[in-house]
Amino acid sequence: MPEIVALFLFVVLLCVAVLHLYWALGGLWPAGDEAALARMVVGVKNMEEMPGTALTIVVAALIATAGVLPLVFTDILPDPVSGLLPVAFRSYLPLVMLGALALVFLARGTLSYTSYFRKMEAVEPFVTLDRNYYAPLCLLLGAGFALLALGL
């Protein structure tokens, strides 16, 4: 079962990372222009341009890394770094990293349903897309990371 969860997390996060890389390279899908894309995926008031190329590539790399970690911790992929760590630390590394990712995704998903989020300067269509798609996806990813961290 952990391997199925790890593969699900990997596939979803790899798709999200590739989409970010596409945007970093100037892609506009699913919008027609940059301003519409910024309103759709960033959602900050008065933002007419997407974040810079370098920042978006860094985000894509971080998302891809988050997707690979479950494969490493379920032994689908070999672990390239644990041999460099002290033995006592190796046993806690999966719990710490997967637990941290679970908290990040669960917090991000939950934020969309709070009164704090409603007070932010978010714009449409981001608000609707976030509540209907982005936040539920983050909650699902967070739950997957939590399952792996707890060893379920």
Side-chain angles (χ1 to χ4, degrees):
M1 175 72 168
E3 291 83 5
I4 293 170
V5 173
L7 286 170
F8 169 78
L9 292 170
F10 171 73
V11 169
V12 170
L13 290 171
L14 182 64
C15 290
V16 173
V18 167
L19 187 56
H20 279 76
L21 185 59
Y22 166 77
W23 291 332
L25 299 175
L28 296 175
W29 183 86
D33 60 54
E34 188 173 4
L37 183 62
R39 286 190 298 276
M40 208 180 255
V41 301
V42 181
V44 176
K45 189 176 181 178
N46 299 322
M47 185 170 204
E48 297 296 319
E49 297 177 350
M50 288 293 286
T53 301
L55 175 61
T56 308
I57 289 173
V58 168
V59 169
L62 290 171
I63 293 169
T65 301
V68 169
L69 287 175
L71 299 180
V72 171
F73 291 130
T74 55
D75 295 325
I76 294 172
L77 289 178
D79 185 347
V81 296
S82 69
L84 305 172
L85 301 171
V87 175
F89 186 70
R90 280 184 230 163
S91 61
Y92 294 104
L93 187 62
L95 176 64
V96 170
M97 293 182 82
L98 295 173
L101 286 167
L103 288 175
V104 166
F105 281 107
L106 290 171
R108 167 58 184 88
T110 303
L111 177 68
S112 297
Y113 303 108
T114 64
S115 59
Y116 171 77
F117 183 79
R118 289 186 205 112
K119 294 176 187 175
M120 292 173 56
E121 299 280 329
V123 297
E124 288 295 345
F126 175 81
V127 173
T128 300
L129 290 168
D130 187 53
R131 290 219 173 168
N132 293 336
Y133 301 104
Y134 310 153
L137 179 60
C138 286
L139 291 171
L140 185 61
L141 292 169
F145 280 108
L147 286 171
L148 291 178
L150 297 172
L152 301 175

